[in-house]
């Protein structure tokens, strides 16, 4: 393993540069947003997903040629076997985790909730050191590094003061791959019944950044991938959120996440877990 320790501030700066670079490429080529490489059940892979990832990789490797990179576009989206080891990080002190376009379907259709997400973690203990989420159509660049407050466009952000789930807006997704034994839509309807509003915006990274800046109070997805939440999870934490991994999915790099402003966490957690999730021990 290489011993090149990089200071957090530098990693933070490059994460922002990389997320901005991916977002810029997507925006400059917006007229090609519908060009699709592959169609899955309920999902698509775009030419621009792949191009943006390459742009970001080039930028990261210009600064850190020896760092490992894990990108959404390298993973066979719906076909990754948890038992397979990810080989890319072998020998590198740091691993960058990229979602070149989170909210791909929104982007392709012309909806504004999409972003470019870049995180960097220490390979040794898998802790995320820095991350950035650039959502150009929302005119926002969110960023964080560990032990420092999170920012939106360089201004410090905080989670909301909302005290109860009944008063809360909870962002969620349309999980089609929930844990066995948990009925589809059960979590959504539990949240909708217990919160003021349940909302599905279509980008997990944007959802978590909205929790970070207090526009939303909670977030839950029972089945999401690491690249969707790695950067925004740190941004939420560094703005005061409680971010909890509730289980490892059956696919490699798949997980379930509950996040909140902290004040509603126990209530939100109970609402979701009541449906049938039995959380694994992630102490
Ligand atoms: C998307 C997530 C979204 C989830 C979608 C999808 P992508 O990521 O951010 O919250 O509900 O199913 O996974 O595929 O646009 O990067």
């Amino acid at each position: 393993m290489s011993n090149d320790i990089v200071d957090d501030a530098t990693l933070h700066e490059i994460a922002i540069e990389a997320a901005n670079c991916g977002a810029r490429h997507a925006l400059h080529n917006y007229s090609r947003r519908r060009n699709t490489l592959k169609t899955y059940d309920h999902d698509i892979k775009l030419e621009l997903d792949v191009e943006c990832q390459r742009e970001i990789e080039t930028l990261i490797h210009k600064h850190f040629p020896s760092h490992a990179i894990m990108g959404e576009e390298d993973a066979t989206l719906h076909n990754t076997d948890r038992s397979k080891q990810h080989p890319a990080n072998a020998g590198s002190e740091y691993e960058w985790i990229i979602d070149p376009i989170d909210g791909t379907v929104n982007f392709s259709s012309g909806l504004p909730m999409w972003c470019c997400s870049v995180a960097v973690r220490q390979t040794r203990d898998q802790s995320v050191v820095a991350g950035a989420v650039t959502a150009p159509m929302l005119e926002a660049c969110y960023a964080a590094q560990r032990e420092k407050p999170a920012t939106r466009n360089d201004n410090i952000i905080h989670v909301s003061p909302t005290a109860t789930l009944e008063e809360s807006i909870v962002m969620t997704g349309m999980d089609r791959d929930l844990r066995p034994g948990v009925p589809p839509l059960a979590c959504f309807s539990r949240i909708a019944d217990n919160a003021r509003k349940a909302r599905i915006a279509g980008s997990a990274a944007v959802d978590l950044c909205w929790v970070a800046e207090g526009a939303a109070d909670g977030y839950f997805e029972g089945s999401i991938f690491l690249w969707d939440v790695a950067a925004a999870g740190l941004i939420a934490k560094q703005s005061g959120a409680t971010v909890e991994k509730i289980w490892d999915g059956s696919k490699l790099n798949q997980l379930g996440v509950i996040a909140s402003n902290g004040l509603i966490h126990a209530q939100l957690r109970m609402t979701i877990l009541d449906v049938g999730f039995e959380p694994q021990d992630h102490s």
Side-chain angles (χ1 to χ4, degrees):
M1 179 164 293
S2 135
N3 283 323
D4 298 338
I5 301 295
V6 183
D7 63 277
D8 292 3
T10 304
L11 294 169
H12 175 252
E13 192 186 312
I14 304 306
I16 294 172
E17 212 182 296
N20 286 342
C21 153
R24 207 164 35 239
H25 186 81
L27 217 49
H28 283 170
N29 293 281
Y30 200 64
S31 59
R32 290 197 286 120
R33 68 186 180 279
R34 292 183 197 275
N35 293 4
T36 303
L37 291 178
K38 201 160 179 184
T39 304
Y40 304 92
D41 288 347
H42 313 291
D43 219 339
I44 50 175
K45 184 199 286 268
L46 303 176
E47 255 174 39
L48 284 170
D49 279 316
V50 175
E51 284 178 30
C52 291
Q53 180 162 318
R54 297 296 163 246
E55 293 283 318
I56 296 165
E57 284 174 355
T58 304
L59 186 141
I60 292 169
H61 276 153
K62 190 179 90 192
H63 291 279
F64 307 114
S66 67
H67 287 191
I69 297 180
M70 179 210 296
E72 178 178 20
E73 301 318 313
D74 298 326
T76 317
L77 195 53
H78 299 288
N79 203 14
T80 40
D81 180 348
R82 172 159 288 284
S83 63
K84 281 192 221 153
Q85 286 292 312
H86 195 284
N89 64 17
S92 172
E93 182 75 32
Y94 295 98
E95 182 173 38
W96 293 77
I97 304 169
I98 303 169
D99 190 345
I101 302 176
D102 183 54
T104 309
V105 174
N106 286 350
F107 170 77
S108 184
S109 316
L111 289 168
M113 297 85 76
W114 59 271
C115 61
C116 178
S117 167
V118 177
V120 54
R121 69 177 175 181
Q122 258 171 334
T123 310
R124 127 165 50 97
D125 61 359
Q126 308 218 318
S127 60
V128 178
V129 178
V133 169
T134 302
M137 300 188 89
L138 306 177
E139 298 180 349
C141 173
Y142 302 90
Q145 58 183 295
R146 61 187 170 184
E147 290 161 27
K148 294 269 169 68
T151 56
R152 173 193 163 128
N153 300 341
D154 296 326
N155 299 310
I156 292 176
I157 51 175
H158 299 285
V159 292
S160 72
T162 307
T164 66
L165 187 58
E166 296 75 42
E167 302 165 284
S168 293
I169 296 177
V170 178
M171 309 307 301
T172 187
M174 188 50 69
D175 299 325
R176 297 183 183 277
D177 198 16
L178 278 179
R179 201 164 179 176
V182 179
L185 288 179
C187 292
F188 182 84
S189 64
R190 285 283 294 165
I191 294 169
D193 284 348
N194 289 282
R196 178 166 287 158
K197 294 290 179 195
R199 292 280 186 248
I200 297 178
S203 162
V206 169
D207 291 346
L208 279 163
C209 289
W210 282 343
V211 173
E213 68 179 337
D217 310 294
Y219 162 81
F220 164 71
E221 261 184 284
S223 168
I224 195 78
F225 285 94
L226 183 59
W227 40 83
D228 296 314
V229 296
L234 180 70
I235 292 163
K237 256 187 224 156
Q238 296 311 117
S239 66
T242 302
V243 181
E244 184 185 5
K245 172 177 166 181
I246 49 165
W247 67 294
D248 287 314
S250 53
K251 296 171 189 163
L252 190 64
N253 296 314
Q254 185 189 36
L255 66 161
V257 176
I258 301 176
S260 77
N261 66 1
L263 301 172
I264 64 158
H265 203 81
Q267 250 190 311
L268 178 59
R269 189 176 197 276
M270 195 186 305
T271 298
I272 290 157
L273 297 184
D274 260 7
V275 175
F277 277 97
E278 278 171 32
Q280 293 157 344
D281 183 13
H282 289 293
S283 48

